Short mmCIF file of all heavy atoms in Angstrom, two decimals:
data_model
loop_
_atom_site.label_atom_id
_atom_site.label_comp_id
_atom_site.label_asym_id
_atom_site.label_seq_id
_atom_site.Cartn_x
_atom_site.Cartn_y
_atom_site.Cartn_z
N ASP A 1 0.84 -1.20 0.00
CA ASP A 1 -0.01 -0.01 0.00
C ASP A 1 0.90 1.24 0.01
O ASP A 1 1.87 1.32 0.73
CB ASP A 1 -0.90 0.05 1.26
CG ASP A 1 -1.82 -1.18 1.30
OD1 ASP A 1 -2.39 -1.51 0.23
OD2 ASP A 1 -1.96 -1.76 2.39
N ALA A 2 0.51 2.20 -0.85
CA ALA A 2 1.23 3.45 -0.94
C ALA A 2 1.15 4.22 0.41
O ALA A 2 0.14 4.23 1.05
CB ALA A 2 0.70 4.31 -2.09
N LYS A 3 2.20 4.89 0.77
CA LYS A 3 2.32 5.53 2.06
C LYS A 3 2.21 7.01 1.95
O LYS A 3 2.64 7.60 0.93
CB LYS A 3 3.65 5.18 2.74
CG LYS A 3 3.85 3.70 2.95
CD LYS A 3 2.90 3.15 4.01
CE LYS A 3 3.23 1.76 4.39
NZ LYS A 3 2.26 1.15 5.33
N THR A 4 1.67 7.66 2.98
CA THR A 4 1.64 9.11 3.10
C THR A 4 2.22 9.48 4.47
O THR A 4 2.17 8.71 5.39
CB THR A 4 0.24 9.66 2.99
OG1 THR A 4 -0.59 9.15 4.03
CG2 THR A 4 -0.38 9.26 1.63
N THR A 5 2.78 10.68 4.53
CA THR A 5 3.33 11.23 5.75
C THR A 5 2.66 12.53 6.11
O THR A 5 2.63 13.41 5.23
CB THR A 5 4.86 11.41 5.65
OG1 THR A 5 5.46 10.19 5.27
CG2 THR A 5 5.43 11.88 6.95
N GLN A 6 2.11 12.62 7.30
CA GLN A 6 1.47 13.85 7.74
C GLN A 6 1.93 14.21 9.17
O GLN A 6 2.33 13.34 9.89
CB GLN A 6 -0.08 13.66 7.81
CG GLN A 6 -0.78 13.22 6.52
CD GLN A 6 -2.23 12.97 6.81
OE1 GLN A 6 -2.70 11.84 6.79
NE2 GLN A 6 -2.95 14.09 6.98
N PRO A 7 1.92 15.52 9.47
CA PRO A 7 2.28 15.90 10.81
C PRO A 7 1.24 15.35 11.81
O PRO A 7 0.05 15.21 11.46
CB PRO A 7 2.24 17.46 10.78
CG PRO A 7 1.47 17.81 9.57
CD PRO A 7 1.63 16.69 8.62
N ASN A 8 1.66 15.08 13.04
CA ASN A 8 0.71 14.51 13.99
C ASN A 8 -0.36 15.49 14.41
O ASN A 8 -1.54 15.09 14.58
CB ASN A 8 1.48 14.10 15.28
CG ASN A 8 2.31 12.85 15.03
OD1 ASN A 8 2.01 12.03 14.17
ND2 ASN A 8 3.40 12.76 15.79
N SER A 9 -0.03 16.77 14.49
CA SER A 9 -1.02 17.76 14.91
C SER A 9 -0.66 19.13 14.36
O SER A 9 0.50 19.38 14.04
CB SER A 9 -1.12 17.77 16.44
OG SER A 9 0.08 18.25 17.01
N MET A 10 -1.71 19.95 14.25
CA MET A 10 -1.51 21.35 13.87
C MET A 10 -2.59 22.18 14.60
O MET A 10 -3.61 21.66 15.06
CB MET A 10 -1.75 21.54 12.36
CG MET A 10 -0.65 20.87 11.49
SD MET A 10 -0.86 21.25 9.77
CE MET A 10 -0.57 22.98 9.74
N GLU A 11 -2.25 23.42 14.79
CA GLU A 11 -3.16 24.30 15.49
C GLU A 11 -3.52 25.52 14.61
O GLU A 11 -2.70 25.93 13.75
CB GLU A 11 -2.54 24.83 16.77
CG GLU A 11 -2.29 23.75 17.82
CD GLU A 11 -1.81 24.31 19.14
OE1 GLU A 11 -2.03 25.50 19.38
OE2 GLU A 11 -1.17 23.57 19.88
N SER A 12 -4.68 26.05 14.77
CA SER A 12 -5.11 27.19 14.04
C SER A 12 -6.10 28.00 14.86
O SER A 12 -6.63 27.55 15.83
CB SER A 12 -5.86 26.77 12.69
OG SER A 12 -6.34 27.87 12.02
N ASN A 13 -6.25 29.25 14.45
CA ASN A 13 -7.24 30.10 15.06
C ASN A 13 -8.49 30.17 14.17
O ASN A 13 -8.39 30.05 12.96
CB ASN A 13 -6.67 31.52 15.30
CG ASN A 13 -5.58 31.54 16.34
OD1 ASN A 13 -5.66 30.87 17.34
ND2 ASN A 13 -4.55 32.30 16.04
N GLU A 14 -9.62 30.37 14.80
CA GLU A 14 -10.87 30.44 14.09
C GLU A 14 -10.78 31.55 13.07
O GLU A 14 -10.22 32.61 13.26
CB GLU A 14 -11.99 30.70 15.04
CG GLU A 14 -13.34 30.29 14.56
CD GLU A 14 -14.45 30.39 15.59
OE1 GLU A 14 -14.12 30.99 16.71
OE2 GLU A 14 -15.55 29.92 15.40
N GLU A 15 -11.38 31.32 11.88
CA GLU A 15 -11.52 32.24 10.73
C GLU A 15 -10.19 32.49 10.03
O GLU A 15 -10.14 33.28 9.10
CB GLU A 15 -12.16 33.55 11.21
CG GLU A 15 -13.55 33.34 11.74
CD GLU A 15 -14.29 34.69 11.91
OE1 GLU A 15 -13.79 35.73 11.50
OE2 GLU A 15 -15.45 34.60 12.41
#
Side-chain angles (χ1 to χ4, degrees):
Chain A
D1 298 318
K3 299 292 187 183
T4 63
T5 303
Q6 300 178 253
N8 288 332
S9 64
M10 293 186 64
E11 294 185 22
S12 175
N13 294 317
E14 202 173 9
E15 298 193 7

